[in-house]
Amino acid sequence: MLLRNSILSIFLLLTLLIGYQQLDDSKTAQSDRNSFFYFLDKDLSDSSWLLNTLDSLKKYSTEQESENISPLIKLLEGNYLLQKNEYEFAKTKFDSILYYNQNALSNKFLAETYLGLAKCYRNLEIKDSAELYYHKAAAMFEESGANTKLAEVLNTIGYIHWQITHFDSAIFYFERSLKIKEHLPDIDSYATTLNNIGTVHYHWASYDIALDCYLKAFEIKKEVNNFSGAALVLTNIGLVYKDTEQIDRAIECFFESIEYAEKDFDNDIFGYIHHNIGSAYLRTNIDSAEVYFEKAMQYYACLLYTSPSPRDRTRSRMPSSA
């Protein structure tokens, strides 16, 4: 396997050099660059792959005394630092790419750069800059036909608007994302955005529409064995029942969601579920409510020591940006 990966890295490097040594406006050079970055798209969150590939690229660049691949090295370095939660350092890497001749870089490359900057600003909680670069990334992904990444970015923009209770704009981006995801093979991601749309309708008290979205999303999450996702959506179903005074059904959903969550342990989701059980018991049993609120606080307290950023600690609140 190691030999195979080494051979693959060499092949990728050669493909890269073809793309960057021919920095002209020919369709061939543009095609070479685009084909490489579509492949690269699959690996930007794999820190092991990033580290190994960076090592090979830096050695080759030094041996050949070539600066042609410098933008790619910076892009990979930025993404590696993102995985390590080094957001300021990652931002510096992505920023430096923008000093290169952007006409020599493909739209897909620029889109990945803007996406990297957006993630940095978001984790640094600089929201205006984050949204600005998400929009830049979306425009470039759309131009280059990268529909999977475009749908992901649109969903994230919707999530940002949901966080600040701009529900009209949130559902606009969620629905744009869902329309693209309808034609993509990743049904788990489709269910995530469907859940998000349900959550907007929940906040509008459009409970029938919200419940319909949640039920469909729940079935998909179960189908793909995304147990934490299923637990989250089932908890949302319980919230609809709680808010429509069907307390027994709500509590039943909350306890069933624990069974799914236990298959994919996540303190954030456990805290979310137990908080909602406590909230439901406020209507019927104050003592039980206090017990479950205390359990929720214990799970959330664990996150203070395990989560790398405030955004990660709110990851499982009702909509998801994943």
Side-chain angles (χ1 to χ4, degrees):
M1 181 63 71
L2 181 61
L3 177 61
R4 181 183 175 187
N5 288 340
S6 298
I7 293 172
L8 182 58
S9 295
I10 293 171
F11 170 76
L12 287 174
L13 180 57
L14 291 174
T15 308
L16 168 71
L17 293 175
I18 291 172
Y20 274 90
Q21 286 175 348
Q22 300 178 7
L23 293 182
D24 55 46
D25 293 328
S26 70
K27 292 182 179 179
T28 301
Q30 185 70 15
S31 176
D32 287 333
R33 292 194 293 276
N34 284 340
S35 64
F36 176 78
F37 290 113
Y38 273 104
F39 184 91
L40 183 62
D41 181 46
K42 300 178 182 179
D43 303 278
L44 289 179
S45 62
D46 184 340
S47 57
S48 296
W49 184 91
L50 286 167
L51 194 59
N52 291 333
T53 304
L54 274 168
D55 185 57
S56 298
L57 289 175
K58 288 178 179 179
K59 286 180 180 177
Y60 191 93
S61 180
T62 300
E63 291 170 0
Q64 300 298 315
E65 298 182 352
S66 171
E67 293 295 325
N68 288 334
I69 59 175
S70 185
L72 179 67
I73 289 175
K74 293 182 183 299
L75 182 70
L76 298 188
E77 285 176 333
N79 278 281
Y80 179 75
L81 290 167
L82 266 177
Q83 300 308 312
K84 298 299 180 182
N85 306 316
E86 298 285 351
Y87 305 120
E88 286 286 2
F89 290 118
K91 185 171 75 69
T92 299
K93 297 295 183 181
F94 293 126
D95 273 330
S96 66
I97 295 171
L98 301 181
Y99 289 99
Y100 289 89
N101 178 11
Q102 294 188 22
N103 291 328
L105 304 174
S106 69
N107 286 342
K108 181 63 167 55
F109 189 97
L110 287 172
E112 293 290 357
T113 303
Y114 293 144
L115 181 58
L117 283 167
K119 290 178 178 178
C120 290
Y121 281 118
R122 186 180 179 196
N123 281 284
L124 292 168
E125 299 189 348
I126 306 175
K127 295 180 181 179
D128 289 345
S129 295
E131 186 172 356
L132 171 66
Y133 280 104
Y134 275 123
H135 280 287
K136 284 177 174 284
M140 288 297 182
F141 281 130
E142 188 168 20
E143 284 187 26
S144 58
N147 287 334
T148 299
K149 275 297 183 76
L150 174 60
E152 173 191 330
V153 171
L154 290 172
N155 184 72
T156 302
I157 294 172
Y159 180 81
I160 291 171
H161 283 257
W162 177 87
Q163 286 182 306
I164 56 177
T165 68
H166 291 176
F167 297 129
D168 287 336
S169 52
I171 203 165
F172 170 77
Y173 290 108
F174 287 147
E175 288 179 342
R176 280 190 64 191
S177 176
L178 191 72
K179 188 174 182 179
I180 297 169
K181 289 182 179 183
E182 287 174 352
H183 306 287
L184 299 175
D186 187 353
I187 60 173
D188 188 28
S189 179
Y190 174 87
T192 293
T193 299
L194 192 60
N195 170 75
N196 296 350
I197 291 173
T199 298
V200 175
H201 284 287
Y202 169 83
H203 281 281
W204 283 338
S206 301
Y207 295 122
D208 289 342
I209 299 175
L211 186 59
D212 182 61
C213 291
Y214 288 151
L215 289 171
K216 290 176 180 176
F218 177 59
E219 291 303 317
I220 295 171
K221 293 292 183 181
K222 288 195 298 182
E223 179 183 341
V224 300
N225 293 325
N226 183 340
F227 299 120
S228 59
L232 177 60
V233 180
L234 186 55
T235 305
N236 294 342
I237 293 170
L239 285 173
V240 172
Y241 291 137
K242 180 174 75 70
D243 282 20
T244 55
E245 302 302 325
Q246 301 175 70
I247 304 302
D248 289 342
R249 293 187 71 180
I251 291 174
E252 182 181 337
C253 285
F254 295 148
F255 277 105
E256 186 182 350
S257 69
I258 292 176
E259 296 176 14
Y260 284 99
E262 286 174 341
K263 298 177 182 180
D264 187 11
F265 194 91
D266 186 314
N267 282 322
D268 200 355
I269 291 177
F270 273 114
Y272 181 57
I273 295 169
H274 283 80
H275 172 84
N276 284 301
I277 293 174
S279 181
Y281 273 131
L282 281 176
R283 312 280 184 92
T284 60
N285 189 323
I286 297 296
D287 290 339
S288 294
E290 290 179 353
V291 169
Y292 284 98
F293 282 137
E294 178 62 29
K295 287 184 178 181
M297 291 302 295
Q298 291 172 2
Y299 285 119
Y300 286 139
C302 292
L303 296 170
L304 297 175
Y305 302 99
T306 59
S307 290
S309 75
R311 190 189 75 79
D312 289 333
R313 290 199 294 275
T314 61
R315 178 176 53 80
S316 73
R317 302 306 188 271
M318 286 185 289
S320 173
S321 61

